[in-house]
Amino acid sequence: MFAFLQTSPDLSVILQQTKELIMPEVLLLLFACAALVIDVLLPRQQKFLVAWLSIVGLLVSLVSLIFVYKGMGSSAKAGFFGMIVIDPYAVVFKMMFLIGALLAILLSIKYLDEEGEQRGEYYALILFAVVGMMFMASGVDLLTLFIALELMAISVYILVGYLRRDQRSNEAAMKYFLLGAFSSGVLLYGISMVYGMTGSTNLADIAKALPVVIGANYQPLGQAVDMRYLVLMSMILMAAGMFFKVAAVPFHMWAPDAYEGAPTSITAFMSVAVKAASFAMFGRIFLYGLPDLRGTLEGNATSHLPALPGWAVLLGVVSAITIVWGNLAALTQTNTKRLLAYSSISHAGYTLLGIIAGNQTGYTGFVIYLFIYTLMNLGVFGCIIALRRRGIIGDRMEDLNGLMKKAPWLTVMMTIFLLSLGGIPPTAGFIGKFYLFAGLIETGNPWLVRLAILAVLMSAVSLYYYLRFIRAMYIEAETEMQPVMQSWPLRIALATAALFVLLIGIFPQQLIALTQKAATGPKTYVYQNDGAEHAAPKSPPQSMPSPAPPPR
Amino acid sequence: MISLSWYLGLSALLFTIGAIGVIIKRNVITIFLCIELMLNAVNLSFVSLSSYFKEISGQLFVFIVMTVAAAEAAVGLAIIISIFRNRASLNVDEADNLKM
């Protein structure tokens, strides 16, 4: 990269040509800084204006993103010395983050008043986090990805601990921060090992160099060495770092605590946008940087080197555990935020299935599911935010009792989102799950088909706890009489989300076309049908972290 | 001249010490220091690899990691201060409000 910088006659010329690629991010960053400044100038009662400024910023960024997308044509554009790429994959994910943040801010305005913490930096931090996310979706250099990840993570650490006087919020922030920083360290160590083996941090270069490194006749110092264990270990370290961020099961223990303690609006934001961004980065690293490590790492018959399993196996095992554990743990929860945290863990497991399938349908499912999940999970949390009233936090299951009598409109919205999370047909959740499971079954690999069957069974289990909400809302008698007041931004956000959840469920073609374009980027992988068994062996590899014993 | 493997071995050792520290220590500040140790172990391996390859991007990475570690320290210590104000304890085992 630096060699190019030195030979180029004029840096500004290059920047001129590529600066429009990051225009959405630049605009959003300007609005975030403006929000910080204006926050100081506004009197206390008018701090909510910062929220509207942020919403304008998000909309401007969204419009500019659409312009970038239109100007992109059919091919992907790389800029900034191959560190940033704008392709449909990046654009769709960025759209997801912007919409997620937009709805989250709409949900927050009234909520922060209730908490008595209406301050402008809240919105500025959300915008900063979104800027980080957008770079996570379009970064193709481990350096860019790492900075972007940290920009997002640090902003979200602060937001989780935003309610400074609330012990639960403090505790959630501490747990999230310690485990998040730890996982960044693990991820970085994996990155440094990859750098050591390939001599580059660019994902394209890494993808080119790794097949040579894992080849049986790799002779860096004159004699053949077996680098595959080292490659496998760095891959596992990077995967572990990413599993932390998406809250997949051996590394999920922060999620229920952080989700329960954080302000509900931030829980909503974290569970959708942060998770989607982590998945975007996950996809970038594994599908663009390490595509050749997916299947088996071939051994060498002459020197008796065994074949090693690749990351498809690792992800398969992790997603199976995640789906089972997330759903079973959710069954017994009484706190709705905690229950939804476990449900969101299981949804991370479903989303991983799309990467594991490795075909066009699977990748489409991966993107489309995250998009739909953004809408429906924000919706559910929005309904819980609406229950926050004077003296009532609204995160206990009993707080939903008899909601149908108090707020029928809210109840109907909640029902739509819950059915969508459960994957019931007329809603969007069904489309997402359909693509994910169809991708697995299309591969024809018996192990992957079994995984799909497990996922279907478990999503039937998940209906049990979603129906608990519905039972509480429709059947149970009211336990308290305090009326539910809904602010109009919240109503708009919920209505939009519900409308799209239904629209996508009934007319999914538009979104499918968009996500299919996004899914054409990664190289699709064909499982060999004859030796299919070895693509997913019965026991996980030695070096893989064994499924964690259920905490508590 | 000391060969590359010594540097990488030291880096792996530091990383392991840091990771073990995070798992067994109970004081928030100590855990945080162990995390910093892990990040610095990564920095050491980046710098030594970068000088071995005669390629600059590894050292560039170190600067970024150091910056990020500083930002993380600022935020982390702020979180630790706010938790100390509310409960006057830095033991992570005592922070158990959020258990079902």
Side-chain angles (χ1 to χ4, degrees):
Chain A
M1 184 201 116
F2 258 67
F4 185 46
L5 199 71
Q6 282 147 10
T7 52
S8 72
D10 194 355
L11 185 63
S12 64
V13 175
I14 297 158
L15 290 181
Q16 283 278 308
Q17 285 161 357
T18 49
K19 73 166 188 299
E20 69 264 28
L21 295 182
I22 58 162
M23 215 19 114
E25 287 91 337
V26 171
L27 288 170
L28 197 58
L29 203 59
L30 286 177
F31 271 94
C33 296
L36 276 182
V37 174
I38 289 172
D39 173 44
V40 184
L41 302 178
L42 284 174
R44 231 198 134 115
Q45 304 78 28
Q46 291 174 355
K47 297 278 189 201
F48 68 91
L49 288 175
V50 181
W52 295 106
L53 180 78
S54 316
I55 286 170
V56 172
L58 288 166
L59 287 173
V60 167
S61 177
L62 196 58
V63 169
S64 131
L65 184 67
I66 290 166
F67 274 112
V68 169
Y69 183 59
K70 295 271 186 237
M72 186 173 70
S74 55
S75 62
K77 271 190 186 170
F80 294 92
F81 316 108
M83 290 190 133
I84 296 283
V85 73
I86 302 292
D87 52 5
Y89 179 87
V91 172
V92 173
F93 269 105
K94 285 177 185 183
M95 235 175 246
M96 219 183 284
F97 309 147
L98 290 172
I99 293 171
L102 198 66
L103 294 177
I105 289 183
L106 283 174
L107 298 178
S108 309
I109 299 172
K110 180 77 188 314
Y111 178 76
L112 289 187
D113 277 336
E114 291 287 345
E115 295 284 351
E117 298 273 1
Q118 186 74 265
R119 292 197 303 272
E121 76 255 24
Y122 175 91
Y123 304 105
L125 281 168
I126 288 189
L127 295 195
F128 282 127
V130 174
V131 172
M133 289 169 191
M134 289 168 85
F135 277 117
M136 276 165 89
S138 64
V140 281
D141 194 292
L142 290 173
L143 186 59
T144 332
L145 286 173
F146 176 70
I147 308 170
L149 175 74
E150 288 301 318
L151 175 57
M152 175 194 83
I154 291 174
S155 311
V156 179
Y157 298 149
I158 307 173
L159 287 171
V160 171
Y162 182 74
L163 304 176
R164 280 179 311 192
R165 290 178 205 86
D166 181 13
Q167 284 204 3
R168 301 203 307 165
S169 180
N170 290 158
E171 186 181 326
M174 184 189 75
K175 287 180 174 164
Y176 187 42
F177 167 74
L178 288 180
L179 287 171
F182 179 74
S183 73
S184 302
V186 173
L187 175 72
L188 265 180
Y189 200 63
I191 291 176
S192 85
M193 282 168 93
V194 168
Y195 175 69
M197 283 179 292
T198 60
S200 169
T201 54
N202 192 295
L203 288 180
D205 293 345
I206 290 171
K208 249 181 271 165
L210 274 181
V212 182
V213 174
I214 58 174
N217 340 308
Y218 180 57
Q219 298 165 327
L221 303 166
Q223 62 188 58
V225 287
D226 187 12
M227 296 285 269
R228 293 174 310 149
Y229 287 98
L230 200 58
V231 173
L232 209 62
M233 199 166 141
S234 66
M235 187 262 293
I236 288 168
L237 284 173
M238 294 214 290
M242 293 319 295
F243 286 147
F244 256 111
K245 301 287 176 199
V246 300
V249 154
F251 311 103
H252 69 293
M253 41 309 192
W254 60 268
D257 288 347
Y259 282 21
E260 188 188 338
T264 313
S265 50
I266 289 305
T267 311
F269 181 65
M270 267 168 78
S271 69
V272 295
V274 172
K275 186 163 280 201
S278 307
F279 267 113
M281 179 170 164
F282 204 126
R284 276 282 185 222
I285 293 183
F286 281 79
L287 303 177
Y288 290 78
L290 314 171
D292 291 295
L293 304 185
R294 171 194 284 277
T296 44
L297 279 61
E298 288 305 328
N300 188 344
T302 55
S303 50
H304 305 291
L305 296 175
L308 298 175
W311 55 256
V313 182
L314 176 70
L315 262 58
V317 173
V318 167
S319 81
I321 308 167
T322 307
I323 292 170
V324 172
W325 179 241
N327 280 321
L328 293 186
L331 291 178
T332 57
Q333 302 300 324
T334 50
N335 180 301
T336 49
K337 275 161 89 178
R338 211 174 173 85
L339 193 159
L340 287 170
Y342 279 109
S343 125
S344 116
I345 289 170
S346 72
H347 283 284
Y350 296 133
T351 316
L352 279 176
L353 298 178
I355 307 185
I356 297 161
N359 47 22
Q360 179 70 30
T361 320
Y363 293 142
T364 310
F366 169 66
V367 183
I368 206 169
Y369 196 70
L370 283 171
F371 205 112
I372 293 166
Y373 179 71
T374 301
L375 293 173
M376 59 193 186
N377 217 38
L378 265 175
V380 170
F381 277 112
C383 296
I384 291 174
I385 288 171
L387 297 178
R388 176 78 172 90
R389 283 155 285 163
R390 186 161 298 281
I392 296 173
I393 299 175
D395 65 349
R396 290 173 310 150
M397 198 52 109
E398 300 92 71
D399 292 338
L400 286 167
N401 284 354
L403 193 66
M404 188 59 191
K405 294 198 195 78
K406 265 183 284 188
W409 185 83
L410 191 68
T411 312
V412 172
M413 294 285 130
M414 183 85 164
T415 312
I416 293 171
F417 296 127
L418 286 170
L419 292 179
S420 180
L421 279 173
I424 303 290
T427 54
F430 171 73
I431 306 290
K433 280 209 173 116
F434 174 78
Y435 266 84
L436 287 174
F437 301 159
L440 280 184
I441 290 166
E442 237 173 54
T443 58
N445 179 319
W447 282 99
L448 295 188
V449 173
R450 275 169 227 175
L451 187 56
I453 293 169
L454 176 80
V456 172
L457 285 179
M458 277 299 154
S459 81
V461 171
S462 77
L463 276 180
Y464 169 76
Y465 57 79
Y466 294 132
L467 288 177
R468 270 176 69 198
F469 282 93
I470 292 177
R471 196 189 66 147
M473 289 188 302
Y474 286 91
I475 298 175
E476 298 283 337
E478 291 171 86
T479 39
E480 29 79 13
M481 291 302 168
Q482 206 165 342
V484 178
M485 307 286 278
Q486 298 148 50
S487 65
W488 63 267
L490 185 127
R491 273 172 185 269
I492 293 176
L494 288 186
T496 324
L499 185 70
F500 275 99
V501 164
L502 286 178
L503 267 184
I504 293 169
I506 299 164
F507 306 106
Q509 292 88 348
Q510 290 266 320
L511 188 64
I512 289 172
L514 186 69
T515 46
Q516 262 170 351
K517 242 191 257 172
T520 45
K523 184 163 71 175
T524 52
Y525 184 85
V526 183
Y527 279 93
Q528 307 109 307
N529 264 329
D530 44 0
E533 295 288 333
H534 75 79
K538 287 149 202 98
S539 61
Q542 293 291 308
S543 44
M544 207 191 81
S546 58
R552 306 201 275 287
Chain B
M1 194 185 127
I2 304 165
S3 72
L4 175 67
S5 47
W6 286 97
Y7 289 107
L8 294 182
L10 178 62
S11 149
L13 188 69
L14 284 175
F15 187 83
T16 318
I17 293 172
I20 291 173
V22 172
I23 294 162
I24 64 171
K25 288 292 177 185
R26 295 276 65 103
N27 183 295
V28 184
I29 306 269
T30 322
I31 293 175
F32 186 55
L33 277 177
C34 291
I35 290 171
E36 293 288 308
L37 190 62
M38 287 165 69
L39 294 181
N40 283 327
V42 173
N43 282 354
L44 179 62
S45 96
F46 264 123
V47 168
S48 48
L49 286 166
S50 168
S51 102
Y52 178 76
F53 289 139
K54 305 274 182 293
E55 204 252 6
I56 202 78
S57 66
Q59 297 187 27
L60 201 65
F61 218 121
V62 172
F63 281 111
I64 301 293
V65 173
M66 273 158 46
T67 319
V68 164
E72 232 167 33
V75 169
L77 291 175
I79 290 172
I80 291 172
I81 287 173
S82 71
I83 199 165
F84 186 73
R85 271 191 190 150
N86 279 340
R87 51 171 91 226
S89 157
L90 286 180
N91 191 319
V92 283
D93 286 341
E94 285 167 23
D96 55 359
N97 278 11
L98 293 173
K99 279 186 181 162
M100 47 170 197

